[in-house]
Amino acid sequence: MVKFAIKIGGSVLLNANSYKNIAKEIEQISDEYSPDKLYIIVSASSGITDRLIHEVAKEQEEIILKKALNGECDFAKYNNPEVASRLLEGEIVSANILQSYLAQSTIISQNGVFPIVAEQSYLCANINMQESFKRKHLLEVPEQIVIVPWFGAVDLVGDKVLLGRNSSDLVAAMVAVLARVDKLIYVKNVSGIYTNFGQSNQELISHLSYEDAEKMRLGKVLDSRVIEILSNSKIDVIVGSHTELSELLKDKPSCGTRLLRGGRNEQWDKFK
């Protein structure tokens, strides 16, 4: 059984046309590669989560709420399931829009049925791996295309919790591990991971070990928590542009950045 997971970043989902284009690419992948399962993890459209934070928090408390979502402080006033549910709305809307353009698809977690279990906070919870694996069957649905809207999970009593800001990368890694996919593609608005990004001497890295990725502190390009989840897996992981999505799924893609287990040099020959 062939399974792919594709994480679509919010920077790619800008307007109705971008959703249509992504849907077309997903359908082309379905036809070209015929995977048994195609998990699509969607972020909220660009800017939506910030708007929701602004609506939830009073103006002078907005900065503190953002820090709490990054795990930098404990903001008791907003650390509750109601706020978690409100801030999840961007992902739910994003999933609904994408599904409207796709046939033979279903949305996981729309009604709060999350396979990921996390605890200790409603705003920046820690994943409970043992309990999450007990719920991996929730990803086993009959539809070929499975849309996963997130940066959320549930705690041990079933309340919605958040995994922090920019955690859809982390969710994608967890979905990939729980569903035991063959490939995980992180779709960005850039062509991969660069050295000296944004400078005149920037250079695309074609292959990168998890050890080097951790040292680089990739930040918004790839959530650092992803490295810990995926480094011991056998999943083929690639970071690349939405304009090259079909190419990224090939066995030997000519684009993007491929994450490798082990040292960068010793692994290079396998992919020449």
Side-chain angles (χ1 to χ4, degrees):
M1 179 175 284
V2 177
K3 300 178 183 178
F4 297 152
I6 301 173
K7 188 267 176 172
I8 312 294
S11 59
V12 176
L13 302 171
L14 301 176
N15 50 45
N17 282 334
S18 62
Y19 281 92
K20 288 180 182 178
N21 292 335
I22 288 294
K24 287 180 182 177
E25 291 185 52
I26 291 170
E27 289 177 340
Q28 289 172 0
I29 289 168
S30 177
D31 292 338
E32 182 178 354
Y33 293 94
S34 300
D36 297 279
K37 279 286 180 289
L38 185 55
Y39 294 96
I40 310 297
I41 298 89
V42 292
S43 296
S45 183
S46 182
I48 295 298
T49 301
D50 282 331
R51 191 188 75 190
L52 289 170
I53 290 171
H54 180 73
E55 292 174 359
V56 166
K58 294 180 180 179
E59 185 173 346
Q60 64 270 26
E61 296 175 340
E62 189 174 333
I63 295 175
I64 304 175
L65 177 54
K66 287 182 178 180
K67 287 184 177 180
L69 285 165
N70 287 327
E72 297 172 11
C73 66
D74 182 16
F75 198 7
K77 180 177 179 179
Y78 295 108
N79 191 21
N80 59 68
E82 290 75 23
V83 169
S85 295
R86 181 79 172 100
L87 296 181
L88 274 170
E89 289 179 6
E91 270 77 8
I92 300 296
V93 170
S94 192
N96 284 331
I97 295 172
L98 184 59
Q99 190 194 36
S100 70
Y101 296 119
L102 289 169
Q104 302 299 317
S105 65
T106 188
I107 298 178
I108 291 289
S109 307
Q110 189 172 26
N111 298 314
V113 185
F114 294 86
I116 297 179
V117 178
E119 50 195 340
Q120 299 178 352
S121 171
Y122 289 105
L123 298 176
C124 191
N126 296 316
I127 291 176
N128 184 321
M129 295 294 289
Q130 183 175 359
E131 293 298 324
S132 296
F133 270 97
K134 290 179 182 178
R135 295 167 65 89
K136 65 180 181 180
H137 65 278
L138 295 172
L139 292 167
E140 298 169 1
V141 294
E143 289 83 2
Q144 181 198 33
I145 300 173
V146 184
I147 303 172
V148 187
W150 270 340
F151 59 111
V154 292
D155 61 15
L156 293 172
V157 297
D159 287 334
K160 292 179 183 177
V161 301
L162 305 180
L163 301 172
R165 284 303 302 271
N166 303 313
S167 61
S168 51
D169 284 350
L170 175 63
V171 170
M174 280 297 298
V175 168
V177 169
L178 294 176
R180 300 182 70 179
V181 305
D182 300 282
K183 288 181 181 287
L184 168 58
I185 309 296
Y186 284 102
V187 177
K188 308 287 183 176
N189 64 347
V190 293
S191 295
I193 299 171
Y194 291 81
T195 58
N196 305 313
F197 180 71
Q199 301 178 31
S200 59
N201 61 338
Q202 73 175 24
E203 182 180 354
L204 179 67
I205 303 172
S206 60
H207 299 78
L208 184 67
S209 73
Y210 283 104
E211 292 87 345
D212 287 343
E214 189 171 15
K215 293 175 185 176
M216 288 177 68
R217 297 181 180 179
L218 299 174
K220 286 189 175 182
V221 177
L222 195 66
D223 190 304
S224 60
R225 295 171 292 178
V226 168
I227 306 302
E228 182 179 355
I229 296 292
L230 293 174
S231 59
N232 292 318
S233 75
K234 296 181 179 180
I235 299 168
D236 193 6
V237 182
I238 303 173
V239 181
S241 170
H242 63 101
T243 61
E244 302 166 321
L245 185 49
S246 183
E247 176 68 21
L248 292 170
L249 283 164
K250 292 182 178 180
D251 289 337
K252 295 182 178 181
S254 61
C255 55
T257 300
R258 196 170 196 168
L259 294 181
L260 308 173
R261 292 180 301 280
R264 186 174 170 186
N265 293 332
E266 71 179 272
Q267 294 284 344
W268 175 260
D269 289 341
K270 293 184 180 180
F271 303 105
K272 282 185 177 179

Coordinates of all heavy atoms in Angstrom, one line a residue, residues 182-183 205-210 233-238 247-248 250-272:
D182 N 4.8 6.6 3.0 CA 6.0 6.4 2.3 C 6.8 7.7 2.1 O 8.0 7.7 2.2 CB 5.8 5.7 1.0 CG 5.1 4.3 1.2 OD1 5.8 3.4 1.5 OD2 3.9 4.3 1.0
K183 N 6.0 8.7 1.8 CA 6.6 10.0 1.5 C 5.9 11.1 2.2 O 4.6 11.1 2.3 CB 6.6 10.3 0.0 CG 7.6 9.5 -0.8 CD 7.5 10.0 -2.3 CE 8.5 9.1 -3.2 NZ 9.9 9.5 -3.0
I205 N 19.9 23.8 -0.7 CA 20.5 22.6 -0.2 C 19.7 21.4 -0.8 O 18.5 21.3 -0.5 CB 20.6 22.5 1.3 CG1 21.3 23.8 1.9 CG2 21.2 21.3 1.8 CD1 21.2 23.9 3.4
S206 N 20.3 20.5 -1.6 CA 19.6 19.4 -2.2 C 19.4 18.3 -1.2 O 18.3 17.6 -1.2 CB 20.3 18.9 -3.4 OG 21.6 18.4 -3.1
H207 N 20.3 18.0 -0.3 CA 20.3 17.0 0.7 C 20.8 17.5 2.0 O 21.8 18.1 2.1 CB 21.1 15.7 0.3 CG 20.6 15.1 -1.0 ND1 21.0 15.7 -2.2 CD2 19.9 14.0 -1.3 CE1 20.4 14.9 -3.2 NE2 19.8 13.9 -2.6
L208 N 20.0 17.1 3.1 CA 20.4 17.7 4.4 C 20.1 16.6 5.5 O 19.0 16.0 5.5 CB 19.6 18.9 4.7 CG 19.8 19.7 6.0 CD1 21.2 20.3 6.0 CD2 18.8 20.8 6.2
S209 N 21.1 16.3 6.3 CA 20.9 15.4 7.4 C 20.0 16.0 8.5 O 20.0 17.2 8.6 CB 22.2 14.9 8.0 OG 22.8 15.9 8.7
Y210 N 19.4 15.2 9.2 CA 18.6 15.7 10.4 C 19.5 16.4 11.4 O 19.1 17.3 12.0 CB 17.8 14.5 11.0 CG 16.6 14.1 10.3 CD1 16.6 12.9 9.5 CD2 15.4 14.8 10.3 CE1 15.5 12.5 8.8 CE2 14.3 14.4 9.6 CZ 14.3 13.3 8.8 OH 13.2 12.9 8.1
S233 N 12.5 7.7 11.8 CA 11.5 7.0 10.9 C 12.2 6.6 9.6 O 13.3 7.0 9.3 CB 10.3 8.0 10.6 OG 10.7 9.0 9.7
K234 N 11.5 5.9 8.8 CA 11.9 5.5 7.4 C 11.2 6.3 6.3 O 11.2 5.9 5.2 CB 11.8 4.0 7.2 CG 12.6 3.1 8.2 CD 12.4 1.7 7.9 CE 13.3 0.8 8.9 NZ 13.1 -0.6 8.6
I235 N 10.6 7.4 6.7 CA 9.8 8.1 5.8 C 10.7 9.0 4.9 O 11.6 9.7 5.5 CB 8.7 9.0 6.6 CG1 7.8 8.1 7.4 CG2 8.0 9.9 5.6 CD1 6.9 8.9 8.4
D236 N 10.4 9.1 3.6 CA 11.1 9.9 2.7 C 10.6 11.3 2.9 O 9.4 11.6 2.5 CB 10.9 9.4 1.3 CG 11.9 10.0 0.3 OD1 12.8 10.8 0.7 OD2 11.8 9.8 -0.9
V237 N 11.3 12.3 3.3 CA 10.9 13.6 3.6 C 11.5 14.7 2.7 O 12.8 14.7 2.6 CB 11.1 14.0 5.1 CG1 10.6 15.4 5.4 CG2 10.5 13.0 6.0
I238 N 10.7 15.5 2.0 CA 11.2 16.5 1.1 C 10.5 17.8 1.3 O 9.3 17.9 1.5 CB 11.0 16.0 -0.4 CG1 11.7 14.7 -0.6 CG2 11.6 17.1 -1.3 CD1 11.4 14.1 -2.0
E247 N 6.8 16.7 -9.2 CA 8.2 16.3 -9.3 C 8.8 15.9 -7.9 O 9.6 15.0 -7.8 CB 9.1 17.5 -9.8 CG 10.6 17.3 -9.9 CD 11.0 16.2 -10.9 OE1 10.2 15.9 -11.9 OE2 12.1 15.6 -10.8
L248 N 8.3 16.6 -6.9 CA 8.8 16.2 -5.5 C 8.5 14.8 -5.1 O 9.1 14.3 -4.2 CB 8.3 17.2 -4.5 CG 8.8 18.7 -4.6 CD1 7.9 19.6 -3.7 CD2 10.2 18.8 -4.3
K250 N 8.6 12.2 -7.0 CA 9.3 11.1 -7.7 C 10.4 10.5 -6.8 O 10.8 11.1 -5.8 CB 10.0 11.8 -8.9 CG 9.0 12.2 -10.0 CD 9.8 12.8 -11.2 CE 8.8 13.2 -12.3 NZ 9.5 13.7 -13.5
D251 N 10.8 9.3 -7.2 CA 11.8 8.6 -6.4 C 13.1 9.4 -6.3 O 13.8 9.4 -5.2 CB 12.1 7.2 -7.0 CG 10.9 6.3 -6.7 OD1 10.1 6.5 -5.8 OD2 10.8 5.3 -7.5
K252 N 13.5 10.0 -7.4 CA 14.7 10.8 -7.4 C 14.3 12.2 -7.9 O 14.6 12.6 -9.1 CB 15.8 10.2 -8.2 CG 16.3 8.9 -7.7 CD 17.4 8.3 -8.5 CE 17.9 7.0 -8.0 NZ 19.0 6.4 -8.8
P253 N 13.7 13.1 -7.1 CA 13.3 14.4 -7.5 C 14.5 15.3 -7.9 O 15.6 15.2 -7.3 CB 12.5 15.0 -6.3 CG 13.1 14.2 -5.2 CD 13.4 12.9 -5.6
S254 N 14.3 16.1 -8.9 CA 15.4 17.0 -9.3 C 15.3 18.4 -8.6 O 16.0 19.3 -9.0 CB 15.2 17.2 -10.8 OG 14.0 17.8 -11.2
C255 N 14.4 18.5 -7.6 CA 14.2 19.8 -7.0 C 14.0 19.5 -5.5 O 13.9 18.4 -5.0 CB 13.1 20.6 -7.6 SG 11.5 19.6 -7.6
G256 N 13.9 20.6 -4.7 CA 13.6 20.5 -3.3 C 14.8 20.1 -2.4 O 15.9 19.9 -3.0
T257 N 14.6 20.0 -1.2 CA 15.6 19.6 -0.2 C 15.1 18.3 0.4 O 14.0 18.2 1.0 CB 15.8 20.6 0.9 OG1 16.2 21.9 0.3 CG2 16.8 20.2 1.9
R258 N 16.0 17.3 0.4 CA 15.6 16.0 0.9 C 16.3 15.8 2.3 O 17.5 16.0 2.4 CB 16.1 14.9 0.0 CG 15.5 13.5 0.2 CD 15.8 12.6 -1.0 NE 15.0 11.4 -1.0 CZ 14.9 10.6 -2.0 NH1 15.6 10.8 -3.1 NH2 14.1 9.5 -2.0
L259 N 15.5 15.4 3.3 CA 16.1 15.2 4.6 C 16.6 13.7 4.7 O 15.8 12.8 4.4 CB 15.1 15.5 5.7 CG 14.7 17.0 5.8 CD1 13.7 17.2 6.9 CD2 15.9 17.9 6.0
L260 N 17.8 13.5 5.2 CA 18.4 12.2 5.3 C 18.8 11.8 6.7 O 19.2 12.7 7.5 CB 19.7 12.2 4.4 CG 19.6 12.7 3.0 CD1 21.0 12.7 2.4 CD2 18.7 11.8 2.2
R261 N 18.6 10.6 7.0 CA 19.2 10.1 8.3 C 20.7 9.9 8.1 O 21.1 9.4 7.0 CB 18.5 8.7 8.6 CG 17.1 8.8 9.0 CD 16.5 7.5 9.3 NE 16.6 6.5 8.2 CZ 15.8 6.5 7.2 NH1 14.8 7.4 7.1 NH2 15.9 5.6 6.2
G262 N 21.4 10.2 9.1 CA 22.9 10.0 9.1 C 23.6 11.2 8.5 O 22.9 12.2 8.2
G263 N 24.9 11.2 8.4 CA 25.6 12.3 7.9 C 25.3 12.7 6.5 O 25.1 11.8 5.7
R264 N 25.5 13.9 6.2 CA 25.1 14.4 4.8 C 26.0 13.8 3.8 O 25.5 13.3 2.7 CB 25.3 15.9 4.8 CG 24.8 16.6 3.5 CD 24.9 18.1 3.7 NE 24.7 18.8 2.5 CZ 24.8 20.1 2.3 NH1 25.1 20.8 3.4 NH2 24.6 20.7 1.2
N265 N 27.3 13.7 4.0 CA 28.2 13.2 3.0 C 28.1 11.7 2.8 O 28.1 11.2 1.6 CB 29.7 13.5 3.4 CG 30.0 15.0 3.3 OD1 29.3 15.7 2.5 ND2 30.9 15.4 4.1
E266 N 27.9 10.9 3.8 CA 27.8 9.4 3.7 C 26.6 9.0 3.0 O 26.5 7.9 2.4 CB 28.0 8.7 5.0 CG 26.7 8.9 5.9 CD 26.9 8.2 7.3 OE1 26.5 7.1 7.4 OE2 27.3 8.9 8.2
Q267 N 25.5 9.8 3.0 CA 24.3 9.5 2.4 C 24.2 9.9 0.9 O 23.3 9.5 0.2 CB 23.1 10.1 3.2 CG 22.9 9.5 4.6 CD 22.3 8.2 4.6 OE1 21.7 7.8 3.6 NE2 22.3 7.5 5.7
W268 N 25.0 10.8 0.5 CA 24.9 11.5 -0.8 C 24.9 10.5 -1.9 O 24.0 10.7 -2.8 CB 26.1 12.5 -0.9 CG 26.1 13.1 -2.3 CD1 26.9 12.8 -3.3 CD2 25.3 14.2 -2.7 NE1 26.6 13.6 -4.4 CE2 25.6 14.5 -4.0 CE3 24.3 15.0 -2.1 CZ2 25.0 15.5 -4.8 CZ3 23.7 16.0 -2.8 CH2 24.1 16.2 -4.2
D269 N 25.7 9.5 -1.9 CA 25.8 8.6 -3.1 C 24.6 7.9 -3.4 O 24.3 7.5 -4.5 CB 27.0 7.6 -2.9 CG 28.3 8.3 -3.0 OD1 28.4 9.4 -3.5 OD2 29.3 7.7 -2.4
K270 N 23.7 7.6 -2.4 CA 22.5 6.9 -2.6 C 21.5 7.6 -3.5 O 20.7 7.0 -4.1 CB 21.8 6.6 -1.2 CG 22.6 5.7 -0.3 CD 21.8 5.4 0.9 CE 22.5 4.4 1.9 NZ 21.8 4.2 3.1
F271 N 21.7 8.9 -3.6 CA 20.7 9.7 -4.3 C 21.3 10.4 -5.6 O 20.6 11.3 -6.1 CB 20.1 10.7 -3.4 CG 19.4 10.1 -2.2 CD1 20.1 10.1 -0.9 CD2 18.3 9.4 -2.3 CE1 19.5 9.5 0.2 CE2 17.7 8.8 -1.2 CZ 18.3 8.8 0.1
K272 N 22.5 10.1 -5.9 CA 23.0 10.7 -7.2 C 22.3 10.1 -8.4 O 21.9 9.0 -8.4 CB 24.5 10.3 -7.2 CG 25.4 11.2 -6.3 CD 26.8 11.0 -6.5 CE 27.7 11.9 -5.7 NZ 29.1 11.7 -5.8

